[in-house]
Amino acid sequence: MNDSASAISYSASAVTTMAGLTINEWVALGGFLIGVATFAVNWWYKHVQTKILQDQSKQD
């Protein structure tokens, strides 16, 4: 029961905080999230590329 009360409390505080953001803050948050997503995609593709190059060098 205590865990559900904590979850409800945290959820309510998150909703209250999000409702109080201005449009500029929403845009800044969106830009931050896009930046994080871009970093993750670039890291993933670089990881895959490195793995392919290592596999190719082992075959030679």
Side-chain angles (χ1 to χ4, degrees):
M1 184 70 172
N2 192 17
D3 290 336
S4 65
S6 294
I8 291 170
S9 176
Y10 287 131
S11 298
S13 66
V15 168
T16 303
T17 300
M18 294 304 247
L21 295 178
T22 65
I23 190 68
N24 288 336
E25 291 165 335
W26 277 108
V27 170
L29 181 61
F32 175 76
L33 294 175
I34 289 171
V36 169
T38 301
F39 172 78
V41 168
N42 285 337
W43 179 84
W44 175 256
Y45 277 103
K46 184 57 96 170
H47 175 73
V48 170
Q49 180 184 20
T50 302
K51 186 176 176 184
I52 290 170
L53 290 173
Q54 287 175 345
D55 290 345
Q56 286 177 350
S57 68
K58 287 180 184 177
Q59 290 176 357
D60 292 337

